[in-house]
Amino acid sequence: MENTLTHEASAFINFRDYKFQDSRAHASRWVDIKHLRLSPESFGDRELLAALIGHEQFRDDYAGGGVQPEGPRHGPYWLRLVTPDVYEDISREKSAEILRDWIDPLREVPAELEADLQREVFNRLTAADHIYYLSGLGDEAIHDWGRVHEYFHELVLIDRSAGRITLLVAADD
């Protein structure tokens, strides 16, 4: 399974970069998107999730430190407690609902932000063959300072036709 995934590109949508009518509306929200190219060999989804968890791009605390190849954290969780089994297979509709519910309190989303979210997030949900959602792992999985995010939504999108797996994190701080 080594070299199954190769980091291809990343995107970051920071809601602070958009002009809201209410300047407090952005609530420090952002979406981090990492695209990884799949190797030509065919693996099952659980093996791809395991490869993603083992990839250095997964070692990101999403709290300003960036990717730390030897880091022990993933988002608010201890990395050692994140396994393929904690991901729930969800529908496109459910994944879009999770993200829309997270965005919805912002009320009027600027057109530029909506366009960027459509292109970078929602179009990718539509194209994915399978979508996995990192379910709450419980208090014991949260690392020593892991409660910096009020919300932390993680989706893994597998798009075999594009030969890509996308790690999508929507959170705030």
Side-chain angles (χ1 to χ4, degrees):
M1 286 285 286
E2 205 160 312
N3 300 325
T4 301
L5 303 175
T6 305
H7 184 247
E8 182 177 60
S10 295
F12 188 76
I13 300 173
N14 189 339
F15 287 30
R16 290 181 187 164
D17 294 341
Y18 301 87
K19 202 164 197 77
F20 286 85
Q21 282 187 322
D22 178 353
S23 63
R24 297 166 292 156
H26 60 73
S28 302
R29 291 171 190 250
W30 48 264
V31 181
D32 187 285
I33 305 154
K34 294 178 178 144
H35 303 291
L36 295 104
R37 175 76 40 208
L38 299 172
S39 67
E41 298 87 29
S42 179
F43 295 102
D45 288 0
R46 293 293 167 188
E47 289 86 5
L48 288 175
L49 288 170
L52 176 64
I53 293 166
H55 198 280
E56 76 174 23
Q57 288 293 316
F58 197 78
R59 288 166 171 71
D60 193 330
D61 57 32
Y62 298 100
V67 172
Q68 299 176 358
E70 303 303 320
R73 296 174 182 88
H74 173 72
Y77 305 113
W78 290 113
L79 178 63
R80 70 181 185 279
L81 299 175
V82 180
T83 67
D85 295 334
V86 299
Y87 285 87
E88 174 187 355
D89 188 359
I90 63 172
S91 68
R92 291 179 184 96
E93 295 78 19
K94 179 66 176 171
S95 61
E97 179 184 325
I98 289 167
L99 293 172
R100 286 289 176 200
D101 286 349
W102 173 72
I103 295 167
D104 195 41
L106 302 179
R107 293 167 189 78
E108 294 184 30
V109 175
E112 301 84 17
L113 174 56
E114 185 61 43
D116 288 345
L117 289 170
Q118 186 63 47
R119 182 184 67 255
E120 294 292 338
V121 176
F122 294 103
N123 288 351
R124 295 182 194 285
L125 294 176
T126 301
D129 300 312
H130 289 103
I131 301 170
Y132 291 90
Y133 182 64
L134 180 62
S135 301
L137 300 177
D139 287 340
E140 67 279 355
I142 296 177
H143 64 71
D144 47 350
W145 47 267
R147 297 197 189 279
V148 297
H149 304 292
E150 183 175 349
Y151 297 99
F152 185 86
H153 298 290
E154 178 177 316
L155 299 165
V156 176
L157 292 62
I158 299 174
D159 184 345
R160 291 187 187 275
S161 64
R164 180 180 298 131
I165 187 168
T166 298
L167 174 61
L168 190 149
V169 172
D172 51 21
D173 46 44

